[in-house]
Amino acid sequence: MTMPSERPLTERKLTHSTFELEREYKAPVAKVFQAFADPAMKSKWFDGPEPWRLIESALDFREGGREVNEGRFGPEGLVSRFDGTYHEIVENLRIVYSYEMRVDGARLSVSLTSIVLTPTDAGTRLTLTEQGVYFDDLDNTEQRIEGMREALELIAPVVE
């Protein structure tokens, strides 16, 4: 990955996008909400996959609260960092937060995300909408959609 400081100014750019994902869970809304609110539950699905190793994790799940999740991919690999702030939390209904993603200190993106939980006959429908700005082609919408889709899948075994 070429870091932004190594690129000529003419190659620096911003890309914007908005996407929406839906996922159904066979669990009550309150349990799906807890998968975001409870640090022990969240670590089961939000910490990175093997060979990712946790460096720092903190969750202050309240309006104005912060969340950090940082880890390294393997013993010599890249370090990824999620750094978020919660703007609105309505228990069992919605969560709105913004976050910055970095890899090895380089900012990849800044996003605003909303999660809406809706009861269904089978359990809960989660609707995630994200508006992002991606810096200097270090990340893109397709990668983010895939990453978010994988994260939403990892919630299922925690709540169902």
Side-chain angles (χ1 to χ4, degrees), residues 71-160:
R72 179 181 301 279
F73 291 92
E76 304 288 324
L78 299 172
V79 173
S80 68
R81 182 177 178 91
F82 168 98
D83 201 345
T85 301
Y86 290 96
H87 301 287
E88 183 178 57
I89 299 171
V90 179
E91 188 171 0
N92 300 330
L93 181 62
R94 68 177 172 249
I95 303 165
V96 178
Y97 61 96
S98 59
Y99 70 97
E100 175 181 86
M101 286 298 303
R102 291 182 178 263
V103 170
D104 282 346
R107 183 184 302 113
L108 302 184
S109 64
V110 174
S111 298
L112 175 65
T113 304
S114 64
I115 294 171
V116 176
L117 303 174
T118 307
T120 65
D121 291 340
T124 302
R125 179 186 315 107
L126 181 150
T127 304
L128 178 144
T129 304
E130 183 162 308
Q131 299 165 296
V133 58
Y134 306 97
F135 300 96
D136 302 320
D137 289 329
L138 297 175
D139 198 357
N140 62 53
T141 305
E142 293 75 27
Q143 290 172 309
R144 186 58 52 87
I145 289 171
E146 184 59 30
M148 294 305 287
R149 186 174 282 128
E150 289 173 9
L152 294 180
E153 288 300 317
L154 292 171
I155 295 171
V158 174
V159 300
E160 294 179 347

Side-chain angles (χ1 to χ4, degrees), residues 2-14:
T2 303
M3 295 300 169
S5 61
E6 299 169 352
R7 295 171 179 238
L9 289 177
T10 56
E11 291 181 21
R12 310 252 350 236
K13 70 177 193 173
L14 298 176

Side-chain angles (χ1 to χ4, degrees), residues 35-62:
F36 291 88
D38 179 83
M41 285 181 77
K42 188 156 189 185
S43 71
K44 291 178 181 176
W45 65 269
F46 194 64
D47 290 350
E50 291 291 333
W52 193 85
R53 296 288 185 249
L54 185 65
I55 296 171
E56 179 184 359
S57 181
L59 175 60
D60 180 9
F61 190 76
R62 63 181 174 85

